[in-house]
Amino acid sequence: MFSSRIPFHRLISRCAVMASKVLREAAEIAQLYRDQCRFPALCRADVGPVITSRFGGQYCNVYTEWTQRDLERNENVKFCRQYIVFHDDTSVVYSGPSGNCTEIKGELLSVDSPSGDMKAVLRESTIKGEDKQLLEIWHKNRKLKCLNLTTLNKHGKVYEDDQFGCLIWSHSETHLLYVAEKKRPKTESYFQGPETGLLTDEEDTIKTDKKEETVLGQQFEYYEDWGEALVNKSSPVLCVLDIEGSNITVLEGIPADISPGQAFWSPNDTGLVFVGWWHEPFRLGLKYCANRRSSLFYVDLASGKCEQLSSSSSAVCSPRLSPDHCRVVYMECGVFGPHQQCNRLCMYDWYTKQTSVVVDVVQRARPDGFTGIYSSMLSPRCWSADSQRVLLSCAQRCRKDLLVVDTSTGEVTSLTSQSEEGSWSLLNIHRDLMVVSCSSPNCPPDLRVGFLPEKGSESKVSWVTLEETQPQADISWQTLNFSPPPEEDNSQYPGLDFNAILLKPKETTAGSKLPLIVMPHGGPHSVLVSEWFLSTSVLCKMGFGVLLVNYRGSLGFGQDSILSLPGNIGTQDVKDVQLAVDSVLKHGDFDEQKIAVVGGSHGGFLACHLIGQYPEFYKACVARNPVTNLASMIGSTDIPDWCLVEAGYEYNTDIHLEPAILEQMLNKSPIKHVSKVKTPVLLMLGEDDKRVPSKQGIEYYRALKALQVPVRLLWYPGNNHSLSKVDAESDGFMNSALWIIQHLSL
Ligand SMILES: CSCC[C@H](NC=O)C(=O)N[C@@H](CO)C(=O)O
């Protein structure tokens, strides 16, 4: 059994040192997960008006909102905490919390008026057993008004999502703007209404001052929606509330083929500026898809005239008005093609009506290291006080940095590239006071404020921490860079490199080898930045090494890297991940027999590919809502264009699928390699996933069953693509960890 050339005692001791200690008991893992869940994440920050005290000192209030998983209540709780910041014109003099945390319940949206005197809240509430949406107006310590929007019945549900939703005060503070679903006709069956075919609903007649028509035979009408995470959101309308008169106007004049969202008041409140997405001939999923044809529009309130302000052939998002009300910045990228790309930062001059490109698409990293703009959204406010510079946070390779853009020169300067921390997120900026959050793979998010230094002194920003977090001493992390060997270089896009983040438990027994979990991200045009993740920190504390791979095609490395992948999925990305793993193994810290792969969506696609293409290598696999067969997915996903583009074809809404195209899609899919799989697979599927319908996972499950490869399927009702409900996420984590422990024989 043993080689005679190695003495038996040495073999025993070698086995003993090689076995690294991993936490295996379910109860202990659950306790660790529970402990790590106690670090909240920031989701919003607002800066209130500057107040000058009797003694001449200036101060302002910083309002923050946080979310935290509550495993006992099985929900994500949201709470707020406020801070007082005393400052002079350029620096923070004193700061501290003003009071404790308060849980926020039932609020869908809330916003202070520009002066800070009033507050508007959109609330959901159950009244006499029925769900209602209420719009409340608060003034100082009083609730001035509460409108029951559901009963008023001027429109459907108010949109509270990031894609379309908004709740915005007019500059005059007399009106509020929001987006809601268009009112639908009341319907009844041909066999339930009176024979006249037209009914009136008395209750609605009273509430809406108008006879409401009931149409017959349309109860089963299909309304397209905007896909994954935007279900039942079909036809948004812009709504304006006149606060004094409690009057709601649903805006007309917006072209019938446009869905409006992300709206705000124009200078002088003469009209509304919004992003309009074209929805003909049909709607495609919008979440994670910045590449949908859309433009900036202005609708004039007096005339109802609607004007298009940006190009008809691009995709735009996040328009933000400058403090002097003269200019609007927004991000723009190409239509169709990769779902997330390098953005252009554009600027529209309100008075000259001229548009300029402030920062263009970056094909390759510039000599100063700038790789382009990859933010999915600009922060609610992003302008410097003098309306000259714009601040944003975005991935630069695998680190999220704070960048300042000078709008007159297009010059980009990083505020954070020299810092030691992992990644930075801009929450807000107001009168040059920046509110940011900073985290690392071993340090949960903190909260800091600092003044934007004047141009030329950007590196001199001095941060004041309002909420501190401690780095976790038992986790170490590093960034690793990789260059593909010549035979894997992309001839169309030569010389591209990529990177990975490696997390390791700090304390390891000398000579022992760690088990390794490989995690490629989804998208594929997405990126894993060096920030805090709950699951990776728990796995690392359990005793695993974790390798997060940003293969070629990831965001943050230049547009060429993104463009190098479509047409090459299933090969280039798979080989990049394997190269990263092989390189890490060469350093000898990890046990080659104890490697697992975990991924969701396109990351699940890669996990399934890796176990098919490297059948002896991975000892356990976990796949969340994986893409397993592009050819069978194209007809059922909310983003069929993804299948064609990533398979290397152009997409048109009237595309006719040829057998050769379907064959290519099949060839690039993990199912093609399934007969070689030996690795035990844990599948986790969301019943309501519109992006990668659960049938993808089931197709793979059946194939593995037929091949007698160990497979287990976890089915999460009420969950969509992200499997992010608290019980699904925590159950998924526990089962993944235990699956890996079992099949790595730990
Ligand atoms: C047809 S679904 C393609 C995969 C999916 N892409 C975009 O939604 C994906 O990988 N999603 C990632 C996020 O980008 C995920 O982790 O869910």
Side-chain angles (χ1 to χ4, degrees), residues 18 27 66 76 121 329 342 483 562 570 610 635 729:
M18 278 173 74
W66 307 68
N76 271 308
V121 178
V329 282
C342 184
S483 293
I562 295 168
L610 285 158
E729 185 193 36

Side-chain angles (χ1 to χ4, degrees), residues 535-566:
S535 58
T536 53
S537 71
V538 181
L539 290 169
C540 198
K541 280 173 172 286
M542 284 170 63
F544 288 100
V546 183
L547 185 67
L548 308 168
V549 189
N550 292 313
Y551 43 87
R552 281 172 290 171
S554 303
L555 301 181
F557 292 76
Q559 177 78 345
D560 275 5
S561 180
I562 295 168
L563 297 178
S564 75
L565 188 54

Side-chain angles (χ1 to χ4, degrees), residues 255-311:
D257 57 348
I258 291 293
S259 286
Q262 300 186 12
F264 60 87
W265 295 84
S266 69
N268 305 319
D269 293 338
T270 54
L272 309 174
V273 180
F274 62 92
V275 174
W277 287 265
W278 275 271
H279 55 231
E280 296 296 343
F282 48 77
R283 290 160 180 80
L284 288 170
L286 270 184
K287 186 156 174 89
Y288 303 131
C289 302
N291 62 341
R292 302 290 176 231
R293 187 175 165 228
S294 46
S295 182
L296 265 193
F297 289 87
Y298 167 70
V299 59
D300 186 79
L301 287 174
S303 66
K305 209 176 134 241
C306 192
E307 202 183 328
Q308 194 177 323
L309 308 181
S310 68
S311 132

Side-chain angles (χ1 to χ4, degrees), residues 572-588:
Q572 181 179 294
D573 44 5
V574 172
K575 286 183 174 149
D576 282 358
V577 176
Q578 195 60 26
L579 173 71
V581 183
D582 286 338
S583 311
V584 164
L585 290 183
K586 279 191 191 127
H587 290 112

